Every structure is written in C-alpha cells, then in structure tokens.
Amino acid sequence: MFSDLSAPDVDSVMKKLDELKIPHKLENGGSAIAVASDRYYDAKMQVAAAGLPTSGTTGFELFDKKSMGMTDFQQKINYLRALQGELSRTITQIEGVQGARVHIALPDESLFIKDKKPATASVVLKLAPNINLKKDQIDGIVFLMSSSIDKLEPENVTIIDHKGRLLSSKRDENSANANTGQLDYERAYEADLERRIIALLAPTIGQDKLVAKVTANLDFRKITKTEEIYDPDSQVARSEQVTNESQSGSQNNASAAPGTDANVPGESPAGEGTSSSNSQNRKLQTINYEISHTVSQITEPMNKVVNLSIAVLIDGPYKTVKDAEGKEKLEFAPRPEEEMKRLTELIKKAVGFSAERKDQIEVANIPFRSDLDNTEKLMPQDRKDLYLKIGHYALVGIGVLLFFFLILRPLIQWLTSEPTFEANGDLATLLPSGVIELERKIGQTHSLTSGEPQDKIKIDTDSQVRILEENRIKVLENAQKDKRAVTLMIRKWLKE
C-alpha cells in the first residue's frame, strides 16, 4: 500500500487497518505496509478517506474538531499550523522532494504604515539522493509560497535543503546577480561550440587527445535604430510654376543741326525727325523637386555574437626511437603543417568563424604525456599483441588451478576422507550399544548357529532376534541423541 513512510504515519495507518480488520504486515524495515492483493483497493480508499497518511504534518483537518473556549490567539496559531502543513504536503508532491517543512512568520497588524513589517517564510527541503532541483523548480516553490500567503513577497521567501545549502536567492534587479541568466546562456553557448569541435575531430584524433576551449563575447543589448536616407541622384518634380511677361511701345527721335537756332524755344528745328518702336518679353519658371529618401526602423537581435576566441590543443603522434645505448624510447613527432592547417579550417567551419568579427583561433600540436624523458622500453605492436594473448591464457590457467586447489580438491578430500569423531575417536563410545556391538553379536550368532541342532538353533535364533530388536531400538534412541555421529557412521559404511 505505502512505502517510505515515517514512523508516525506507519503507526496511524496500522491503527486504521486494525479498526477496519484488514490483515496487513510491515516490510522494508518497518517503512512499508502491505496488504493482500484482493483487499488492496478497498484498504487504499478507506485509509485515504481517513486522511492518511499525513506525512507527519497536520493540515486544515485541524479544524475538524471544534473546541469550546478557544481564544483568538489559539485560533491564529492553529490556522498558521494548518497553512504550514498544507504547503508542506503540496511541496512534497514535487518530483525529487521527499519531505518539506514550512515556517511562516506573519507580523501583527498595525495602524501605522511605518510600523508595518512584511511577512516572511522559510522552507526546508529533504531531497532524494543524487537529486538537485532546477532553477525553475525553485522559482516555482517561491511563487507557490508567495501566492498562498497574504502579503508575502517572493524576495522574502528563503529555501534551503537538508544539507543547509541555500537554494533561493534575493531578487535585486540592481545587483550583478540579475544577469545570471545571461551568464548561463553564454556558458551554454560556449559549451555547445566546444562539443562541436570535439565531435568533429574525435573520430580521427581520439577523444583523449583533444582539448577545446571557446570564449564567446555576446551582446545582450536590444538595440532599435531608425534610419532616414536621402538619395540626391534620384529627383522627382513635385510642382512647377511658369510666368511670362511682355512689353511693347514707340518713340520719336528729332534730328536738327547743332547751334543756337535749334535750341531756341519756339523755333522749329531745322532738319527731319525719326520714330522707333521696341518690345520686351520675360519668362519666370519655378520648379520644386522632391528628393527620394528611405526611412528604416531596425531592431537588432539580442544575444548577438561580438567575437569568438577558440583555443584547441591536439596531442601526438609519437614514434619509437633508440637512444645512444640502444634502448627504445617514446618521442613526440609533430604533425605536418598541412595537416594542422586542414584541422584549423575544419574547426573554423564547425564554430562559424568570421574574420569580419575579428574572431581569433589558435590550434596547437603539443605532447600531452609527461613521461617522454623516461627511457621506457616500447614493444612493437605485434609483440605487444602476442604478450597480451599470453597474459590472457596465463590468467585463465591460474584461475583453473585456483578453482581446483581451493574448491574442487578440498571437496573431493572431504567426500573421500575417513570420518572423524570429536569424542575419543571410537564410535562405540558415542553409541555404547551401537552398530559395532551389533555387528559383533551378529558375528557371534553366525558362529553359534553353525553345527548346532535345529531346536537349539531355533531357540538361539529367537533370542538373537530379540537381542537384535533391542539393539535396534537402542541404536535409534542414540541416533536421536547424536545425529552427527550417525551421519559419519553411514558415510563410513558407504565407503566400505
């Protein structure tokens, strides 16, 4: 029915089953309760109807029993206990949480704003082995508490685990901790690029011969720009105004000889006069042009990669050389430059390298081993394989010998050895009227019966049969007293 129950729950459930007269038993060291399969559903429903198990906490069933004469203070304390119990039960339903305790501090009401204090709460979680709650689970518990308790803000909820580690953090938008989500995203992005590099090169180089580290500089700002661009080469006439003016007229020109007569008033000039006509035209044109322009509103995406820094270390290869003394030793052999360039280009393709962002990359071929200076004798591959096979067969042979000497041989010796007795070594001492005496008497009977008359033989035979029956009874009685001696005796008979 139930498992992993606390001692109070086990006691309450067992009492309820006793009242219902349902057979049950304890299992798993007293932390589990089992019932017959045909009574399972019936027992489960009836126990659940009684509100069991309660996991050691008391909820709003605390108000099921009414008591007279309870003060307001007691009512407030009971309400607080019930609320804490209900929240503990709810939090325990979260995956990975085995138990929870909730403590709530509700301040007294005050008429003055300056004397008002906020409500606070703390939660202690007992987590399952090897379980760590995720950030969204912790946030869910925080908002569950703040939504269930009046005037409780999320920043006033403290959550710790059974090891005393703080799981919740104060929510201060002005602090540096507000950007933890951005930092987590940046670390996850870097780890993803590192996995790409290792997944690309590991099949050819080896998982243990490759180290990759990527540092990403990301821009988490959300930028919105508005651009208005004018194109002077593209003009369009928006309006045009033309004004035309014209003037015309005539003029008389008199010609006279210069002198006194010509300039005296009243005297007619001597000579003939001429007349002329003139005209004047004027055009005024005004054209208004519209220059084309473009208005763009651009919103740059968040989490933009500013630049990348990639560092990759590649091990090996190694080769076997002989020193001055003729001993073989391991020596690092750098990879060819063409191979390193090819690997560098592959890494660039894998991480999306961009020269425009001024990304940096460094791929180095260095030895990972630190024992290159030791004159260690290296075997050729074929000789090494041969030695491995010899070692394998040697281990198999040693295992067979150990099995024979430690298990099979002692077993054979135990089956074929003479039975030993802890008493004085004499079976007759263990069984005073035992089988040895019985055999002796049977031998005497056989000697008596040879060459005797039939009547006497019959009488002696009857007496011997009676004696044998008495000895048989005594042997059975002694066998009941010392079964080990009888076992050893039968083994001796079988061997003979």
Side-chain angles (χ1 to χ4, degrees):
M1 284 183 62
F2 303 103
S3 60
D4 297 329
L5 291 178
S6 61
D9 284 340
V10 171
D11 181 63
S12 59
V13 172
M14 289 183 63
K15 287 181 179 179
K16 186 62 179 178
L17 292 175
D18 291 337
E19 293 177 3
L20 299 173
K21 296 182 180 181
I22 298 177
H24 59 276
K25 64 178 180 179
L26 292 177
E27 293 183 351
N28 296 337
S31 63
I33 299 178
V35 297
S37 59
D38 56 343
R39 300 296 304 273
Y40 174 80
Y41 294 105
D42 180 32
K44 192 86 170 179
M45 293 180 65
Q46 295 194 50
V47 171
L52 298 175
T54 60
S55 301
T57 58
T58 304
F60 283 110
E61 65 271 10
L62 191 64
F63 294 97
D64 292 342
K65 298 180 181 180
K66 297 182 180 180
S67 58
M68 301 297 295
M70 185 175 293
T71 63
D72 292 340
F73 177 75
Q74 292 175 333
Q75 287 281 7
K76 186 181 296 184
I77 294 299
N78 285 341
Y79 172 75
L80 196 60
R81 287 178 54 195
L83 184 59
Q84 292 176 164
E86 293 293 337
L87 288 173
S88 299
R89 293 177 184 176
T90 305
I91 295 174
T92 309
Q93 302 301 317
I94 298 176
E95 182 180 0
V97 179
Q98 292 184 342
R101 290 203 64 182
V102 177
H103 302 276
I104 302 173
L106 296 178
D108 296 333
E109 295 291 338
S110 175
L111 298 176
F112 301 99
I113 297 178
K114 64 178 182 179
D115 294 335
K116 287 186 178 181
K117 297 181 180 179
T120 58
S122 59
V123 182
V124 181
L125 302 178
K126 182 181 179 182
L127 304 178
N130 302 323
I131 292 295
N132 291 322
L133 293 183
K134 299 179 181 178
K135 186 177 181 299
D136 54 352
Q137 291 177 308
I138 297 173
D139 293 340
I141 296 176
V142 170
F143 284 102
L144 170 67
M145 295 289 297
S146 61
S147 301
S148 303
I149 302 173
D150 187 25
K151 299 179 182 179
L152 177 62
E153 299 296 332
E155 58 267 15
N156 292 330
V157 179
T158 302
I159 302 177
I160 63 174
D161 62 1
H162 61 283
K163 296 182 180 180
R165 297 176 299 183
L166 181 64
L167 302 181
S168 62
S169 59
K170 297 295 182 181
R171 303 176 181 273
D172 187 3
E173 296 181 356
N174 297 325
S175 63
N177 294 331
N179 295 325
T180 54
Q182 298 177 358
L183 185 61
D184 293 340
Y185 178 84
E186 191 174 81
R187 295 293 177 266
Y189 181 74
E190 294 172 351
D192 179 65
L193 295 180
E194 293 170 1
R195 284 193 295 267
R196 292 184 189 180
I197 297 174
I198 295 176
L200 178 65
L201 302 183
T204 57
I205 297 178
Q207 185 78 23
D208 56 343
K209 294 185 177 182
L210 181 66
V211 177
K213 292 295 179 183
V214 178
T215 301
N217 183 14
L218 303 180
D219 187 4
F220 294 97
R221 298 177 301 171
K222 184 177 181 180
I223 302 175
T224 301
K225 297 187 300 183
T226 301
E227 295 182 351
E228 190 172 358
I229 302 174
Y230 292 89
D231 186 6
D233 297 331
S234 177
Q235 299 179 356
V236 178
R238 185 180 64 179
S239 62
E240 182 177 0
Q241 183 178 3
V242 180
T243 304
N244 293 321
E245 296 182 357
S246 60
Q247 294 181 356
S248 59
S250 59
Q251 183 178 2
N252 294 321
N253 296 322
S255 67
T260 304
D261 296 335
N263 293 320
V264 173
E267 295 291 335
S268 59
E272 296 180 356
T274 61
S275 63
S276 64
S277 62
N278 58 359
S279 63
Q280 183 177 4
N281 295 324
R282 187 175 63 173
K283 183 178 181 181
L284 180 62
Q285 184 178 9
T286 302
I287 302 176
N288 295 322
Y289 291 95
E290 187 71 30
I291 299 177
S292 64
H293 70 285
T294 304
V295 179
S296 302
Q297 188 171 2
I298 303 172
T299 301
E300 296 185 0
M302 297 178 61
N303 308 335
K304 182 181 178 181
V305 180
V306 179
N307 53 51
L308 297 175
S309 297
I310 306 110
V312 180
L313 299 180
I314 299 176
D315 185 25
Y318 301 93
K319 64 180 180 179
T320 304
V321 297
K322 293 184 178 180
D323 56 8
E325 299 177 358
K327 295 182 179 180
E328 294 180 350
K329 67 176 183 178
L330 196 64
E331 187 178 80
F332 174 69
R335 297 179 184 270
E337 185 177 355
E338 294 79 8
E339 181 182 359
M340 295 302 299
K341 289 182 178 179
R342 186 174 67 254
L343 294 176
T344 302
E345 292 299 324
L346 290 175
I347 295 173
K348 289 182 178 181
K349 300 294 184 182
V351 301
F353 183 88
S354 175
E356 298 178 357
R357 293 196 307 248
K358 298 182 179 180
D359 293 347
Q360 299 178 358
I361 185 172
E362 181 68 25
V363 182
N365 180 211
I366 61 175
F368 285 7
R369 301 187 57 169
S370 59
D371 56 348
L372 296 181
D373 295 333
N374 299 334
T375 58
E376 139 180 48
K377 178 132 187 207
L378 299 177
M379 296 177 292
Q381 188 64 30
D382 54 352
R383 197 191 315 171
K384 185 183 296 185
D385 295 338
L386 177 62
Y387 287 169
L388 289 176
K389 291 182 179 179
I390 294 175
H392 174 72
Y393 291 125
L395 289 176
V396 174
I398 292 173
V400 173
L401 293 176
L402 290 176
F403 175 77
F404 176 77
F405 285 106
L406 298 180
I407 299 177
L408 190 59
R409 185 179 178 185
L411 180 62
I412 296 174
Q413 291 178 352
W414 180 75
L415 293 175
T416 59
S417 62
E418 293 288 340
T420 58
F421 301 96
E422 296 179 356
N424 295 327
D426 190 1
L427 183 61
T429 306
L430 293 173
L431 301 174
S433 57
V435 178
I436 295 178
E437 182 67 19
L438 181 61
E439 291 177 344
R440 185 180 62 80
K441 291 181 178 180
I442 291 174
Q444 292 177 357
T445 303
H446 178 70
S447 63
L448 290 174
T449 57
S450 59
E452 295 292 338
Q454 293 297 327
D455 295 340
K456 189 175 181 180
I457 292 174
K458 183 178 181 181
I459 296 173
D460 292 340
T461 302
D462 293 340
S463 62
Q464 292 297 329
V465 170
R466 186 178 65 254
I467 293 173
L468 288 174
E469 182 66 21
E470 292 176 355
N471 288 335
R472 186 183 71 83
I473 295 173
K474 291 181 180 180
V475 169
L476 293 176
E477 292 177 353
N478 292 329
Q480 293 293 331
K481 295 179 182 178
D482 194 346
K483 296 182 179 180
R484 181 175 179 275
V486 176
T487 304
L488 295 175
M489 181 179 63
I490 294 175
R491 286 180 55 198
K492 180 176 181 297
W493 285 354
L494 292 174
K495 183 180 179 183
E496 292 175 353

